[in-house]
Amino acid sequence: MSLMTYQHHDVNGHAIALPVGKVVCVGRNYLQHIQELKNSVPEQPLLFIKPSTGVVRVDEAINLPTGQGECHNEIELAVLIKQPLKNAKHAELTHAIWGYGLALDLTLRQLQDSLKRQGYPWERAKAFDGSCPVSAFVPKSDVQDHQALSFQLAVNSELRQQGYTKDMLTTIDELIVHISQTFTLLPGDIVLTGTPRGVAALQHDDQLTLSLHNGQNTLFIIHTKVN
Ligand code: ZN
């Protein structure tokens, strides 16, 4: 496998002229997912980061870490940033978002549980190489209201996760403003916005279908597999 061949791209397969940066993620942003893992609702958004080395294309076969227990799917709306944001104001956001895609926040769940129990950071469970397969991105101009999007993950033709961005506990704008107070967002960074319920272990040879919808319109459908 070659190193760092990933490049952000649009739904026509064209490269997007942005570097590949960090991925800032939020945990516990959908109530039903918090309940399925028996977690508590955080007082403020629970943030963590995946490095750029975690980012790979989701439409190329997905490689899971071996020998470290279950690796769970977490499908999430991904926001591609195109302008620097530090202590951002809401008015700046319109011009700072390139567009939207989907990502899998791959999570070694048993390892994460063990790290959480010991009070250790989660990076080994969530920030490993290839931990963030991402889709193509749809330009912001194609999305009138990013709180009206929906997305799905089917595994072997069975619907496993379905998310509606209207159900987020912290909205996308609030989340980006909040993130930028701690982590400056740079062009090419991605913000992951949390996963809905339905996380479960991925298996060798699973066939995955990811789709993003804007109201009644399907923005894209991607078929991929787990190696
Ligand atoms: Zn997640």
Side-chain angles (χ1 to χ4, degrees):
M1 197 173 75
S2 57
L3 212 53
M4 294 306 292
T5 53
Y6 174 84
Q7 170 75 48
H8 300 310
H9 59 285
D10 67 21
V11 287
N12 299 313
H14 298 130
I16 297 170
L18 290 170
V20 183
K22 64 185 175 293
V23 183
V24 185
C25 310
V26 59
R28 306 183 194 172
N29 204 23
Y30 288 85
L31 191 58
Q32 290 179 332
H33 170 62
I34 294 173
Q35 291 166 341
E36 75 177 343
L37 292 186
K38 299 184 172 61
N39 282 319
S40 55
V41 178
E43 284 174 23
Q44 59 173 2
L46 194 170
L47 303 180
F48 61 96
I49 287 180
K50 293 173 186 260
S52 60
T53 43
V55 184
V56 293
R57 288 178 67 123
V58 76
D59 58 350
E60 294 174 353
I62 296 167
N63 294 302
L64 304 179
T66 52
Q68 299 185 76
E70 292 184 352
C71 188
H72 278 199
N73 52 269
E74 291 194 2
I75 193 170
E76 313 202 1
L77 182 78
V79 182
L80 179 59
I81 302 297
K82 70 171 180 180
Q83 295 288 336
L85 289 169
K86 183 178 175 68
N87 297 320
K89 304 275 182 291
H90 278 267
E92 291 173 66
L93 300 183
T94 317
H95 303 290
I97 293 174
W98 192 96
Y100 306 94
L102 293 173
L104 292 173
D105 168 17
L106 293 180
T107 303
L108 291 163
R109 187 71 67 199
Q110 291 159 327
L111 179 57
Q112 184 196 27
D113 287 347
S114 157
L115 293 167
K116 278 162 74 174
R117 269 197 309 275
Q118 297 172 85
Y120 292 160
W122 301 351
E123 275 88 343
R124 286 176 181 274
K126 277 187 172 282
F128 53 87
D129 286 0
S131 60
C132 191
V134 299
S135 71
F137 289 90
V138 173
K140 185 175 197 316
S141 55
D142 288 2
V143 175
Q144 299 74 38
D145 176 4
H146 56 200
Q147 299 301 147
L149 296 168
S150 65
F151 52 95
Q152 296 184 335
L153 171 68
V155 179
N156 302 325
S157 304
E158 280 187 21
L159 183 61
R160 182 173 286 188
Q161 290 192 272
Q162 173 148 259
Y164 297 91
T165 56
K166 67 174 171 49
D167 293 338
M168 289 179 182
L169 298 178
T170 303
T171 64
I172 297 165
D173 287 3
E174 289 168 5
L175 180 62
I176 293 173
V177 164
H178 182 79
I179 287 170
S180 79
Q181 292 165 3
T182 302
F183 306 111
T184 298
L185 290 167
L186 295 174
D189 285 353
I190 292 172
V191 172
L192 295 195
T193 55
T195 199
R197 73 170 166 193
V199 302
L202 292 170
Q203 311 286 349
H204 172 61
D205 275 344
D206 276 346
Q207 305 290 318
L208 273 49
T209 306
L210 299 80
S211 59
L212 178 63
H213 311 270
N214 185 15
Q216 298 302 314
N217 287 341
T218 298
L219 296 171
F220 61 73
I221 301 176
I222 295 171
H223 299 282
T224 189
K225 67 174 289 242
V226 176
N227 269 334

